[in-house]
Amino acid sequence: MKRIGLLTSGGDCAGLNAALRAVYARAHHGYGWTVVGIRNGTAGLMERPVQAEELDDRALSSDLLRLGGTILGTTNKGNPFKFPMEDGSFVDRSNEVIEGYRKLNLDALIMIGGDGSMAIIRKLAKQGNIPLVAIPKTIDNDIGATETSIGFETAVQAATSALDHLQPTAASHSRVMVLELMGRDAGHIALWAGIAGGADVILIPEIPYKLSAVCEKLEQLKKRGRNFALVVVAESVKTETGEAVTAVHGGGAGATRTYGGIGQYIGEEIARLTGAETRVTVLGHVQRGGTPEPGDRVIASAFGVHAVDLIAEKRYDRMVGWNNRRVVDVPIEDAIRAAQTVDPQGELVTAARGLGISFGDSIA
Ligand code: F6P
């Protein structure tokens, strides 16, 4: 009988519990294995006693399909190879994590994480000879070798819903509404939600913008008789002169991070340059929590089952993924090689331009 470990790592998102449920269902009831849930990602393996417990049939509850976040807890503040100490220095604690894994007497490990966590845990797996399978999750949808990751659809839903809420108030008050969205260095959430929510302007890090072009687009709308506008800004967009405004994101031990710098900047510049009344909304972690959308529940469930099957087949160092309407698996190396950002020449950008949406590089 096998005993497998399961952990969630990095920023949470909707659908993690659905994946966990699927892993348990397949491993325990399909193969008769024991599943050990490790608390707070690699941090749980660093602690003594190791923070972990065997999952039981409560993990089969359909409540987990509906529950956002991760019941295992997660962390993104502790790269074990470069663990931050209170005095600002860093130490290598990778051997402690590997030793923690050994203490649990596991035969293999399933990690649910983004590309950053995958790279770190893959390195740990190589160092400690740990059979590893990865499941991709991130609202940013920037993991390579898979078309989608757990959490993206729910984040897009939250962002679209925000635009649905902003449009009527924008129209009532004749305002330009600026909505700042997450996505790290990728503009996927902004692009998808912008199209779905009827944005007039979408600013993403992959397409450099000019404030003059943004304002020209807004003036054009006004001339056509439109009394409001919706402007979506991805968090990693820089100022026109190339400065990063939003705080460095992720991994903040003991720090409060403030988002909204770039949204505020764009809102203020639009007001200054056009005289429009602008209001800025920063959606922030609302995109991460919430009830998972059906698509996230479905891919999380399919990913969980396939990940366990890979272990049964002894096919390690692989990540499950979704490509061409199918669950697939690929070498983890392919997934972490390069972040998957928006293709500025891709079909969705073309579609958005066709709809009259401006990316601030020209008026569409
Ligand atoms: O990677 C997911 C993500 O939500 C990014 O979109 C965002 O920049 C970051 O994590 C936020 O991290 P934290 O929760 O540490 O503030």
Side-chain angles (χ1 to χ4, degrees), residues 274-296:
T274 66
E277 194 175 330
T278 62
R279 292 291 184 271
V280 178
T281 300
V282 181
L283 202 56
H285 291 77
V286 168
Q287 295 155 97
R288 289 247 296 260
T291 304
E293 288 297 309
D296 279 329

Side-chain angles (χ1 to χ4, degrees), residues 51-266:
Q51 298 296 299
E53 65 195 58
E54 289 180 10
L55 301 185
D56 58 33
D57 275 359
R58 283 174 295 178
L60 283 183
S61 166
S62 62
D63 290 354
L64 289 181
L65 285 170
R66 291 175 252 282
L67 188 65
T70 162
I71 59 167
L72 291 179
T74 186
T75 180
N76 56 1
K77 63 180 177 231
N79 176 351
F81 292 97
K82 226 180 149 197
F83 195 82
M85 303 301 280
E86 272 178 12
D87 64 1
S89 63
F90 294 94
V91 289
D92 182 349
R93 298 186 63 183
S94 55
N95 284 331
E96 288 170 62
V97 175
I98 293 164
E99 188 190 271
Y101 171 85
R102 300 254 177 272
K103 282 184 187 294
L104 295 174
N105 290 318
L106 300 171
D107 299 303
L109 178 66
I110 295 180
M111 67 83 66
I112 311 176
D115 54 356
S117 297
M118 260 182 231
I120 291 167
I121 295 178
R122 179 169 190 258
K123 199 170 158 190
L124 283 167
K126 296 252 168 251
Q127 186 172 313
N129 207 15
I130 298 172
L132 175 71
V133 167
I135 297 178
K137 68 86 215 169
T138 170
I139 64 166
D140 307 333
N141 201 21
D142 58 353
I143 301 173
T146 179
E147 283 163 12
T148 193
S149 56
I150 299 170
F152 177 61
E153 183 177 318
T154 306
V156 171
Q157 165 59 33
T160 304
S161 165
L163 287 168
D164 293 348
H165 284 75
L166 288 171
Q167 190 277 332
T169 173
S172 303
H173 285 265
S174 301
R175 285 172 172 164
V176 174
M177 292 297 194
V178 176
L179 176 66
E180 182 184 309
L181 297 174
M182 282 186 167
R184 208 167 279 256
D185 297 320
H188 296 294
I189 300 174
L191 178 59
W192 280 65
I195 293 173
D200 300 297
V201 176
I202 302 176
L203 302 185
I204 55 176
E206 295 87 346
I207 302 180
Y209 70 96
K210 282 201 176 315
L211 279 165
S212 54
V214 172
C215 294
E216 214 178 318
K217 172 72 187 176
L218 298 176
E219 294 295 347
Q220 183 202 63
L221 288 172
K222 205 167 153 188
K223 275 197 202 116
R224 285 189 199 153
R226 181 89 91 64
N227 72 326
F228 73 92
L230 299 176
V231 177
V232 169
V233 181
E235 65 175 341
S236 284
V237 165
K238 302 206 172 9
T239 66
E240 202 179 317
T241 50
E243 296 153 67
V245 181
T246 298
V248 177
H249 32 60
T256 293
R257 298 203 182 278
T258 309
Y259 294 88
I262 188 63
Q264 189 63 27
Y265 167 80
I266 298 284

Side-chain angles (χ1 to χ4, degrees), residues 31-56:
Y31 294 103
W33 301 345
T34 299
V35 181
V36 178
I38 297 161
R39 298 224 162 265
N40 302 323
T42 51
L45 292 174
M46 245 181 231
E47 284 191 39
R48 298 293 177 271
V50 174
Q51 298 296 299
E53 65 195 58
E54 289 180 10
L55 301 185
D56 58 33

